[in-house]
Amino acid sequence: MAWIFLVVSGFFETIWAAALSQSKGFSRPVPSIVFAVALVISMGGLALALRELPVGTAYAVWVGIGAVGTAAYGMAVLGEPATTARLLCLVAIVAGVAGLKILH
């Protein structure tokens, strides 16, 4: 169950990061509210996962999911460049996160 909490909270990290960008410095209310709600859910899920998982592994997986998700969002929705080098770096992050899960 801890891994489920961790993965879901990692996805919510992507949501809060995207909402933070869209809030334009908290000047837009709806994205600011989405940011706050997603942040609480994301941190809460990480806290629940840390009841059973080591902090180093859990945090690295949580950040990895959030980083890859946020970068993918930027490329798919915001028109950020999806170069081969950037995609290879994201694959490296995914491989590292998968390695941490396998070695746990």
Side-chain angles (χ1 to χ4, degrees):
M1 195 69 177
W3 284 103
I4 293 170
F5 285 130
L6 187 61
V7 170
V8 170
S9 68
F11 285 121
F12 273 94
E13 184 185 3
T14 297
I15 293 168
W16 70 249
L20 180 60
S21 171
Q22 296 302 311
S23 77
K24 306 294 183 204
F26 300 114
S27 65
R28 299 176 61 209
V30 172
S32 297
I33 292 168
V34 170
F35 160 78
V37 171
L39 180 67
V40 169
I41 293 169
S42 180
M43 292 293 174
L46 177 60
L48 291 172
L50 287 174
R51 289 180 176 175
E52 296 179 29
L53 300 174
V55 68
T57 299
Y59 185 73
V61 170
W62 180 76
V63 169
I65 293 169
V68 170
T70 303
Y73 171 80
M75 288 183 259
V77 177
L78 303 178
E80 295 176 5
T83 64
T84 301
R86 290 186 80 192
L87 294 173
L88 286 174
C89 289
L90 292 177
V91 168
I93 293 170
V94 171
V97 167
L100 288 172
K101 166 65 171 110
I102 291 166
L103 297 173
H104 170 70

